[in-house]
Amino acid sequence: MVFPKVAIMGKKPFIIHDPYFHEAKRLGYRARSVFKLLEIQEKFGIIRPTDRVLDLASAPGSFLQAITKIVRPDIPVVGIDIQKIEPFGHGNVKLLQADVNDFETIHAFIETLGITRFDVITSDIAPATTGHTGVDQYRSVELNLAIVHIADEFLKKNGTLILKVFVGEDVNDLIGPIKERYAKLKRFKPKACRDRSFEEYFICLGKK
Ligand SMILES: C[S@@+](CC[C@H](N)C(=O)[O-])C[C@H]1O[C@@H](n2cnc3c(N)ncnc32)[C@H](O)[C@@H]1O
């Protein structure tokens, strides 16, 4: 399935051959990443209509769009990213611009919302890539460790954490802490991940 189209990024027009990009646009999603979450949801059925969901690294917001279609409109959904997330037309979606390493700010924000625990935490975090695979993978592990720390505080017992990881030689630095904290770790590479990418999703089930 190929839908070549000309896109303008900066000043240079180029052709985009990515069917997920075009399908996301057609369906009104803010990013192609949504198909990764939808595949995870189809395979593992993680998010339920009554689940309070915290989505980390949300910008531009396609995961949040998908999550709001699953959860009931009276259930809180929180999105946090270091970049600004453009607002949604849903009163239950609360947004914060913050770094996942800034635990104090995140803690204070969630407290003001009156939420103590989430049922599910999702993350699609990606470090700004340097072109050096080893460095990018290491940064991905570091960011994910910050997210594991956030989940320690805000994910309920038995809750599920979904992480995006650039897998490389440092990945055991992340797998160790996950196995200490979660009953099961399932690794999954959705079809929507680009073939050459090192990314995988870690589905961490059953927080201890
Ligand atoms: C692939 S994008 C996420 C796409 C999003 N899931 C969606 O569906 O629209 C990765 C995101 O990670 C965010 N990010 C990277 N480092 C971060 C950090 N230290 N704290 C918070 N967000 C960060 C980036 O700003 C970027 O928006």
Side-chain angles (χ1 to χ4, degrees):
M1 198 172 34
V2 175
F3 304 96
K5 256 192 194 162
V6 174
I8 310 289
M9 299 272 276
K11 286 184 182 158
K12 288 189 183 161
F14 66 94
I15 295 175
I16 295 175
H17 291 282
D18 176 2
Y20 291 104
F21 172 90
H22 298 295
E23 191 60 0
K25 262 195 133 55
R26 189 180 74 78
L27 296 172
Y29 284 113
R30 295 179 180 187
R32 70 188 292 292
S33 322
V34 71
F35 295 109
K36 303 173 192 175
L37 182 65
L38 293 175
E39 275 185 71
I40 292 167
Q41 178 67 6
E42 194 178 308
K43 187 169 168 68
F44 299 96
I46 307 284
I47 305 168
R48 289 163 305 183
T50 52
D51 283 344
R52 295 152 299 173
V53 183
L54 170 62
D55 181 48
L56 296 165
S58 315
S62 75
F63 272 30
L64 287 171
Q65 287 175 295
I67 292 163
T68 55
K69 288 185 181 166
I70 301 168
V71 303
R72 282 191 345 214
D74 57 321
I75 302 291
V77 175
V78 178
I80 299 176
D81 198 287
I82 199 165
Q83 299 182 60
K84 186 175 186 326
I85 309 160
E86 290 305 325
F88 284 80
H90 300 268
N92 60 327
V93 180
K94 307 292 177 197
L95 304 173
L96 174 70
Q97 186 170 4
D99 188 324
V100 292
N101 294 298
D102 186 355
F103 185 78
E104 295 308 315
T105 301
I106 291 174
H107 190 281
F109 178 69
I110 291 174
E111 211 168 54
T112 61
L113 299 175
I115 301 170
T116 48
R117 295 280 182 277
F118 291 90
D119 301 286
V120 178
I121 299 182
T122 54
S123 164
D124 194 26
I125 203 152
T129 47
T130 62
H132 297 283
T133 312
V135 174
D136 297 341
Q137 290 167 347
Y138 178 70
R139 288 189 180 163
S140 163
V141 166
E142 278 188 324
L143 288 168
N144 277 301
L145 286 171
I147 291 170
V148 167
H149 177 51
I150 293 170
D152 282 349
E153 181 76 14
F154 293 112
L155 185 62
K156 73 166 190 189
K157 190 170 166 13
N158 270 323
T160 302
L161 170 65
I162 299 175
L163 299 172
K164 175 166 79 180
V165 185
F166 290 179
V167 175
E169 62 182 25
D170 300 301
V171 75
N172 285 330
D173 294 353
L174 177 64
I175 290 176
I178 290 173
K179 288 196 165 166
E180 279 165 21
R181 292 163 166 81
Y182 294 85
K184 214 174 253 180
L185 165 61
K186 296 195 175 180
R187 295 172 60 166
F188 180 59
K189 184 158 180 128
K191 290 191 206 75
C193 292
R194 292 185 169 95
D195 286 344
R196 282 177 20 253
S197 86
F198 298 98
E199 76 183 33
E200 276 181 35
Y201 288 80
F202 283 14
I203 320 295
C204 312
L205 298 162
K207 186 184 174 218
K208 294 176 189 168

